[in-house]
Structure formats: C-alpha cells, structure tokens
C-alpha cells in the first residue's frame, strides 16, 4: 500500500482545540472491574496449528512471542459469552462503586464484538444489568478507542447534569476471528505478505471490563477525570479493516500513521495539560513494537508503562480498563497518582485522558 498525501484543504484548516479537547469539572471514575476469560491459548498453541504454512514460508516458530511479545491470550470457556462476561463486570463495578442499577442514567457498550448488526449490543447489556427504562443505552464503536471515548462522552453528560451515574461496558470474543484466520492461512496459496497482513488477528484475546462514573462532589473517594484530547487522521481509514472473517492490516503504515498522529495530539495537548511526568501511562495493549514506538514518540519513561498484552493479547477496547484494573490490583497505582490513558485505534484515531487517582 502506498502512502497518500493528506488532503490539501484539510491540511490548511486552522486547528480547533475546542473540538479536540475536553476539560471535566465534576466527574470521577468510581470503579473499574474486569472479567477474565477462562481458557488460556498460548502463542505456541496457535503456531503449532500453523506449522505447515510457517515451514512453507520459511518463517520461524516463536514469531508471535518474539515479534509481538504476546505469550498467551484468553478465550472464553464452556458456557462463557462476551455479553454475559460484560454484564458480570458491570454488576461488580456497580457494587464496588456503591451505585444501584436504578441510579444508572447512561449505559454505553463499546464492544467491537457483535453477534448482529441490530439491535445494539447495549440492549442486551441493559436488560442483563437490570437497568431502569429511563437509562439511556447505546453502542459506541470506534475500534480500540471505544472505552476511552465512552468515558469522555459519559463525563460530559454528567458535567451537564443530564445524568448522575454512567456505566461503560465492553466484552470481546476473539475466538471466531482467530479460527477463521488459522483456517484461511492453512488453505495454502498465501505468501509472506499475506501472512503478515493477518498477523495481528493472531494476537487478539477475549475479555470484558466495566467502569462506573459519577459526580466527584458526591464521591470524594473517586478518581477525578480531568479531561483529554482526541485527534483523527482518517485518510488512513483502510490500513486496518476487520470483521469476524478476519483482520487485515498494513502494519508498517498503520504504525507510521499512528505515531505521527500521537505526536500531533500530544503536542496539541501541551496547551491544556501537563502530561510530561505522569505516575503511570496506561496504553492500549497491542505489542512490544507498538508500546515501544508510543513511548519513543512522546518521550515517556518505559518503566512507567504497565503492560498486559504478554498475558492477555490485544483485547480491543477492553485493553485499557483491563490494564488499569490490573495495575491498581498490583499496587502499581496508588491514591494521589496522576494516570494517563491513551491509545491509537484503526481509522486512524487517537484518544488521551488524564485521571487523578
């Protein structure tokens, strides 16, 4: 795929920080909970099923672990579904926050995984969570950035007084896309370029997460959501295209375009936020390559960046809340810490957010 120039008219438009920057006045993250898929699938397991094609293409075993850093990922066990897992995470997040289901005014589902085009996945979650008919519910679909986007939307609605409490949920199921990818690669007729275009599908994992947001003045124990920025480079809309059939990626150009966008957003954010010395940088979990590129692009200390992709793979929009919850549970994030959430999603978009823990 060749690089295309940025649209001239778009490149000459003046920057509009108001459209890309949000400051929140009275919103806190009250709880974040995750549901872990039961079945462990190692990269060695996947490569054993691809042994023939790897041998034919003269690609070494251990590629997933060496290139991506993904040692294992999770898949749902017998009787588990991504929807039930997200509902479970939602119930536990509400319990931890001390918020009753009848107090929730907004439910946003951010799952990339969906069993059908309509209705929304949110309606199944709304019913399973026992939320009132007055609770607004809908999906936000924005690849791997959906969860952070939803937190920003919910925070704005809380600040405006439209709602009091919001619940953001996400459940992902990587099983079918990985099975389809393995079957297709084993059919033959694929060259190295074809294999690498589907490499990212083999790093995906399943999991679920949920977060409760509410007014900070009523919850001094909460974690303040300060604000954040978003930025788009949608001329790269076709660098990563996925469905249940498979995910096809121009990894080199996606990384290049994504890091250019990250630098642009980070630079713009300096006028509104001081993110140079946060206590923790919780990034969307993709791979060693992407994490190191993000760290280098914005110049942050690598030892302040917790990672979970080695154990869980890329769990799409659930990656950031899973990593956040994991770091809190391990004691890596403590009261008073300043926490940065950020990532790049296919499209290309980026989102960044600041929390005061």
């Amino acid at each position: 795929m060749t690089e295309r120039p940025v649209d001239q008219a778009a490149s000459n438009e003046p920057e509009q920080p108001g459209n890309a920057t949000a400051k929140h006045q009275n919103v806190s993250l009250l709880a974040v909970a995750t549901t872990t898929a039961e079945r462990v699938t190692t990269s060695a397991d996947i490569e054993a099923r691809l042994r023939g094609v790897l041998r034919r293409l003269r690609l070494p075993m251990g590629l997933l672990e060496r290139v991506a850093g993904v040692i294992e990922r999770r898949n749902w066990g017998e009787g588990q579904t991504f929807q039930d897992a997200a509902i479970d995470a939602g119930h536990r997040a509400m319990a931890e926050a001390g918020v009753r289901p009848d107090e929730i005014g907004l439910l946003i589902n951010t799952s990339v995984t969906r069993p059908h085009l309509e209705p929304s996945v949110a309606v199944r979650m709304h019913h399973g969570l026992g939320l009132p008919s007055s609770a607004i519910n809908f999906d936000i679909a924005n690849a791997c950035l959906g969860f952070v986007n939803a937190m920003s939307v919910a925070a704005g609605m809380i600040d405006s007084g439209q709602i009091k409490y919001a619940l953001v949920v996400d459940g992902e199921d990587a099983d079918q896309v990985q099975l389809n990818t393995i079957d297709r690669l084993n059919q033959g007729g694929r060259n190295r370029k074809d294999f690498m275009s589907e490499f990212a599908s083999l790093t995906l994992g399943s999991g679920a997460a949920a977060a409760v947001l509410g007014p900070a003045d009523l919850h001094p124990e909460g974690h303040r959501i300060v604000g954040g920025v978003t930025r788009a480079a949608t001329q790269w809309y076709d660098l990563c295209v996925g469905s249940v059939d498979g995910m096809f990626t121009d990894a080199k150009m996606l990384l290049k375009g994504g890091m250019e966008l990250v630098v642009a957003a980070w630079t713009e954010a300096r006028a509104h936020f001081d993110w140079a010395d946060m206590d923790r940088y919780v990034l969307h979990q993709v791979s060693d390559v992407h994490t190191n590129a993000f760290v280098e692009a914005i110049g942050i200390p690598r030892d302040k960046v917790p990672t979970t992709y080695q154990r869980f793979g890329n769990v799409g929009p659930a990656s950031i809340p899973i990593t956040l919850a994991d770091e809190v549970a391990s004691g890596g994030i403590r009261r008073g810490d300043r926490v940065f959430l950020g990532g790049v999603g296919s499209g290309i978009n980026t989102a960044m957010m600041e929390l005061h823990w």
Side-chain angles (χ1 to χ4, degrees):
M1 185 175 294
T2 58
E3 184 171 354
R4 63 179 78 85
V6 178
D7 181 84
Q8 188 62 38
S11 65
N12 290 333
E13 289 179 357
E15 289 186 4
Q16 300 180 36
N19 291 340
T21 304
K23 287 287 189 77
H24 300 298
Q25 305 304 314
N26 187 38
V27 186
S28 283
L29 172 66
L30 306 183
V32 59
T34 64
T35 302
T36 302
E38 293 178 353
R39 183 160 48 92
V40 176
T41 304
T42 67
S43 290
D45 293 336
I46 289 177
E47 290 182 354
R49 299 178 63 183
L50 292 168
R51 189 181 303 276
V53 68
L54 289 170
R55 183 183 298 114
R56 183 175 63 78
L57 297 177
R58 297 184 179 180
L59 292 170
M61 299 292 284
L63 197 64
L64 283 162
E65 185 172 339
R66 191 175 74 253
V67 174
V70 177
I71 300 169
E72 60 188 34
R73 77 281 293 132
R74 298 300 186 104
N75 296 98
W76 299 116
E78 188 70 28
Q80 283 189 309
T81 70
F82 80 94
Q83 291 168 315
D84 290 340
I87 290 168
D88 172 68
H91 278 304
R92 288 186 293 103
M94 287 189 289
E96 182 181 332
V99 175
R100 301 187 312 271
D102 63 7
E103 296 180 286
I104 298 293
L106 171 68
L107 169 73
I108 304 178
N109 165 68
T110 68
S111 309
V112 171
T113 302
R114 54 189 315 112
H116 37 61
L117 293 177
E118 62 174 326
S120 70
V121 178
V123 298
R124 170 71 178 89
M125 311 281 190
H126 182 281
H127 176 71
L129 288 159
L131 303 186
S133 63
S134 56
I136 305 164
N137 62 96
F138 53 80
D139 293 347
I140 283 183
N142 193 24
C144 295
L145 297 180
F147 206 94
V148 176
N149 292 152
M151 289 176 64
S152 183
V153 169
M157 292 178 70
I158 292 170
D159 267 339
S160 74
Q162 185 176 357
I163 60 168
K164 189 174 181 180
Y165 295 106
L167 178 60
V168 179
V169 297
D170 187 278
E172 303 299 339
D173 188 341
D175 282 34
Q176 196 60 53
V177 65
Q178 285 185 343
L179 290 173
N180 290 342
T181 299
I182 291 169
D183 287 346
R184 183 168 44 254
L185 291 173
N186 278 327
Q187 288 173 7
R190 302 298 193 274
N191 56 32
R192 282 196 177 201
K193 182 178 179 181
D194 296 328
F195 184 93
M196 296 311 297
S197 76
E198 300 200 56
F199 185 81
S201 298
L202 305 176
T203 69
L204 299 177
S206 302
V212 176
L213 285 66
D217 57 358
L218 297 182
H219 293 273
E221 78 285 0
H223 317 294
R224 288 292 297 266
I225 299 179
V226 178
V229 302
T230 63
R231 191 130 179 159
T234 53
Q235 67 269 27
W236 304 122
Y237 64 90
D238 59 352
L239 291 182
C240 180
V241 179
S243 69
V244 70
D245 188 52
M247 186 166 68
F248 303 88
T249 303
D250 182 335
K252 180 179 180 181
M253 288 305 301
L254 186 65
L255 184 63
K256 179 177 183 294
M259 290 308 105
E260 288 174 353
L261 185 62
V262 162
V263 171
W266 181 266
T267 302
E268 179 183 304
R270 288 176 183 160
H272 309 277
F273 303 97
D274 179 12
W275 290 337
D277 190 27
M278 304 293 282
D279 294 291
R280 282 292 182 272
Y281 297 87
V282 179
L283 307 181
H284 170 54
Q285 302 292 296
V286 182
S287 68
D288 282 340
V289 173
H290 289 79
T291 301
N292 292 336
F294 203 113
V295 166
E296 183 177 347
I298 59 179
I300 58 176
R302 183 65 175 80
D303 61 2
K304 290 186 176 184
V305 181
T307 57
T308 56
Y309 57 81
Q310 298 93 338
R311 292 176 287 139
F312 298 114
N314 178 352
V315 199
S319 287
I320 286 177
I322 285 174
T323 306
L324 179 63
D326 188 77
E327 190 67 359
V328 171
S330 69
I333 294 176
R334 294 179 289 272
R335 193 74 183 172
D337 282 352
R338 297 174 66 221
V339 180
F340 172 94
L341 309 182
V344 178
S346 55
I348 300 174
N349 288 290
T350 188
M352 303 174 181
M353 176 178 282
E354 179 180 348
L355 305 179
H356 280 188
W357 208 259

